[in-house]
Each structure stands twice: as C-alpha cells, then as structure tokens.
Amino acid sequence: MRRAKRALPPVAVVLVLALGVPLAGCGSESGARGDGVSAGKEKGVDMQEAAEQSDAMLDAVLKGIDPDVQWAHGPTTTRACGVTRRRTVMTVVSAERRQTFLDRAENFWRKNGYRIKAVNKDEKFPAVYAVTRSGFGVSVSFRGKGQAFLEADSPCVKESKVADPTTEPNGPAYKDVYPLPRPNVRSDFWSGKGP
C-alpha cells in the first residue's frame, strides 16, 4: 500500500526558502562555471568588494521602497567562499502592509534586471528572493513580530578581510547591540491599515 505524500508545513517551507538563497551563493546557478570555480573568483573579486556591492544593492532597494522606512545594519557574516550583509527594518510594518512592502522590493528588482527566484506567500512570514546576473542573492523577509529583514549574499569570491559597512543608517545605529530591538518606529503609511 502506497503512502500519500504529505505537504510540508508552512514553517518548513519558510526554512527551505530561507536557507536556499544563502546557500545558492556558491552554486553553479549563481555564477560558477560548473567546474567549481566561481565567476567572482575568476574576476578577482574579494570578500570586501563583494560586501561593498551587497551594501550598494541593499541601499538601492531601500531607496526604492516609498515611503522610507527606518533601518539599521544587521550582522555581517562570512562563509568559506562568500559574505552576507544584512539590514533590519526598525519601522513597524503592519500585517496589512507587508505585501505592499514586498511588492515594492520585488518591483524594484524586476525593473533593475534581477530574476525573482522565489516568493513565499505565507501569511505570517512572507518573503521575496531574487538573484542578480552576477550571482548575488538578495531577499526581503518578514520574521518574528513582523520585522522586515533584507539580506544580500555574494557568490563565491576570494577570501579577504571584511570591514564594517560605511553607509550610515537613517536612524539609531545600535552599534554593538545584538540582537537588534524589534520594530519601534511608527509610520503613518507602513504602520497603519492597508487599503
């Protein structure tokens, strides 16, 4: 007797999607030639340069989200072949406005040549994942207490030291504060009810 396949619970889908994009940074789809050598390594890009590119991508998408939201830098992490930069949104985004927030990020990426890799329509933890032609994975996701997080993951690049981001956040920097506080800034648009 054959067993019926069970659908993954929403939390499992979120975990698969959340882990899928960061891990894609070293995969063949994200810039490798197929022989284990990354396009980033071929071009001589190191982790610091990749971090700066990630910062520029995160700055751009945040500027593309209107009206503005307040954000702070999240932790930078490195792995064997890449780097991840993060931004944490400190503006309260109501449940009714989360899809609007994601739509604005997705539209910005589409207009700028990014490929949308996945969209998670989960009611509680929605997210959008995209990838650039050069193999950077970017995402916007909502997590605990409805806080929005933006991440940019580099493809495989040459190992190097990575400095802190130079872009100043548009609110408190929360330097040496971890974990960052939950969203605490009210917005007439983002914190209110949807249409």
Side-chain angles (χ1 to χ4, degrees):
M1 180 188 277
R2 293 177 69 184
R3 289 178 135 177
K5 288 186 179 177
R6 291 189 314 168
L8 289 174
V11 172
V13 173
V14 171
L15 287 174
V16 168
L17 289 174
L19 295 173
V21 171
L23 295 176
C26 293
S28 61
E29 181 182 9
S30 60
R33 298 183 313 192
D35 60 2
V37 178
S38 164
K41 284 186 178 179
E42 286 176 42
K43 295 177 183 172
V45 175
D46 65 22
M47 286 181 169
Q48 177 60 39
E49 292 165 320
E52 290 167 6
Q53 289 178 42
S54 296
D55 288 336
M57 288 187 289
L58 294 174
D59 289 342
V61 71
L62 281 163
K63 285 178 185 162
I65 294 173
D66 184 45
D68 290 345
V69 292
Q70 195 174 106
W71 60 270
H73 288 289
T76 295
T77 54
T78 58
R79 53 193 187 282
C81 64
V83 61
T84 301
R85 290 286 214 205
R86 294 174 177 85
R87 304 284 170 85
T88 303
V89 175
M90 304 310 295
T91 300
V92 175
V93 180
S94 68
E96 294 82 8
R97 292 288 191 193
R98 289 178 196 154
Q99 191 57 54
T100 302
F101 189 92
L102 293 170
D103 289 345
R104 292 188 181 174
E106 181 178 347
N107 290 338
F108 174 84
W109 287 331
R110 285 186 191 280
K111 286 179 187 173
N112 287 280
Y114 292 47
R115 181 174 61 82
I116 303 304
K117 190 170 180 175
V119 176
N120 180 359
K121 296 279 190 180
D122 184 81
E123 205 170 293
K124 199 169 182 181
F125 302 113
V128 177
Y129 302 89
V131 65
T132 68
R133 288 188 187 100
S134 57
F136 283 78
V138 290
S139 66
V140 176
S141 60
F142 283 90
R143 300 184 201 150
K145 303 291 185 190
Q147 192 158 30
F149 295 86
L150 294 91
E151 295 185 6
D153 300 296
S154 79
C156 292
V157 292
K158 291 193 305 186
E159 189 174 353
S160 71
K161 290 188 176 182
V162 179
D164 289 337
T166 57
T167 306
E168 290 294 323
N170 62 354
Y174 297 106
K175 192 157 176 67
D176 300 322
V177 175
Y178 188 79
L180 291 175
R182 294 298 189 182
N184 54 24
V185 177
R186 302 292 301 179
S187 159
D188 289 343
F189 180 81
W190 292 116
S191 308
K193 297 279 186 190

